[in-house]
Amino acid sequence: MASGESPVRVLCAEGALVAVLDVLDDAGQAVAGSATAAGPGRAVYHSCDVTSRSSVTEVFAAVAADFGGLDSLVHGAGVETRTPAEELTDAEWDHVIDVSLRGAFLTNRAAFPLLQAGGGRILNVASGAGLDPFPGAAHYSAAKAGVMAWTRSVAHEWGRHGITLNAIVPAMWTPMYQATRDHLTPEQLAAHDVFMAGRIPVGGKLGDPTTDLAPVIVTLLSDVTHFVTGQIICIDGGLSSVR
């Protein structure tokens, strides 16, 4: 679930009805269950392959029937692999592009008819890898850059329906990041922390998903941001800058 777990919990704490979509069924069910138990909102898990049109269509229809409609969507699916560009296979390229970029297309497209009449919010999760060079993972960089380009363009198409689209670029301390740190030698870890301290003006390290990311997502999904669309919003302590 990476950074997605905290927003689910915070949205439920705000009283929202939240559909959790993933292919990691055990983890997804656990997140939905604990968020519902904390309440007062409710989270329901649905197994969904965002690269499959039929899976996305079926799940979105089920969610809309259960909740009585849809107000917003956060597309955060993504997969990152590290392979030099000259060694990339078609299969690896397709997998990374499909989850992030095709996933954005299919989920956003499925949300459109459910938001068309009353408007709503769509947030697509991008990455700093789509803003800056990311050697060793050019396919991931391309996928996330594509998500940002899609978001900006579609925001101009769907704005007339009261639908806003924005992309967020988070830099959070996730379990995946912690696992990476755990594999570094003490010397490598010290060097990494010095590097991050020099790159991130606020705090000198990656953010906390619960306190730094989730509240921003809640705000961006609310009515107060109805006039904010087509933007790339970095939630990263200043690690990246856009204009």
Side-chain angles (χ1 to χ4, degrees):
M1 299 297 292
S3 297
E5 180 176 350
S6 293
V8 171
R9 296 182 189 279
V10 172
L11 284 165
C12 276
E14 293 288 327
L17 299 175
V18 182
V20 180
L21 278 54
D22 209 319
V23 293
L24 302 175
D25 294 340
D26 290 344
Q29 289 168 353
V31 168
S34 62
T36 298
R42 176 166 65 95
V44 180
Y45 176 73
H46 293 266
S47 184
C48 182
D49 176 2
V50 299
T51 71
S52 165
R53 179 181 294 277
S54 60
S55 179
V56 170
T57 300
E58 178 181 343
V59 169
F60 272 64
V63 169
D66 182 20
F67 291 173
L70 185 73
D71 298 312
S72 58
L73 164 70
V74 179
H75 165 65
V79 60
E80 176 188 337
T81 63
R82 299 294 184 98
T83 303
E86 68 275 15
E87 298 177 11
L88 274 173
T89 64
D90 290 356
E92 188 174 359
W93 170 273
D94 289 345
H95 179 53
V96 171
I97 295 293
D98 281 354
V99 174
S100 288
L101 186 51
R102 178 176 171 82
F105 162 61
L106 291 178
T107 58
N108 291 191
R109 182 64 184 84
F112 174 76
L114 302 174
L115 301 175
Q116 186 174 6
R121 311 281 169 264
I122 294 177
L123 288 181
N124 292 316
V125 180
S127 168
L131 295 171
D132 299 310
F134 199 44
H139 50 319
Y140 179 72
S141 181
K144 290 303 188 179
V147 168
M148 288 185 271
W150 160 269
T151 300
R152 282 172 159 162
S153 294
V154 179
H156 283 254
E157 295 188 29
W158 294 356
R160 67 181 183 276
H161 302 291
I163 302 171
T164 66
L165 287 89
N166 293 289
I168 59 173
V169 180
M172 298 293 129
W173 195 303
T174 64
M176 183 183 300
Y177 174 65
Q178 182 60 53
T180 299
R181 291 177 61 86
D182 291 343
H183 283 88
L184 298 178
T185 67
E187 294 76 14
Q188 290 173 328
L189 186 60
H192 172 75
D193 286 343
V194 169
F195 172 77
M196 295 300 286
R199 290 290 309 275
I200 302 177
V202 179
K205 61 182 179 180
L206 298 183
D208 183 314
T210 299
T211 58
D212 298 323
L213 175 61
V216 179
I217 289 178
V218 171
T219 300
L220 290 173
L221 296 180
S222 71
D223 290 340
V224 301
T225 59
H226 73 279
F227 207 53
V228 179
T229 196
Q231 303 304 308
I232 310 302
I233 300 168
C234 296
I235 312 169
D236 62 2
L239 178 62
S240 300
S241 298
V242 296
R243 62 173 182 237

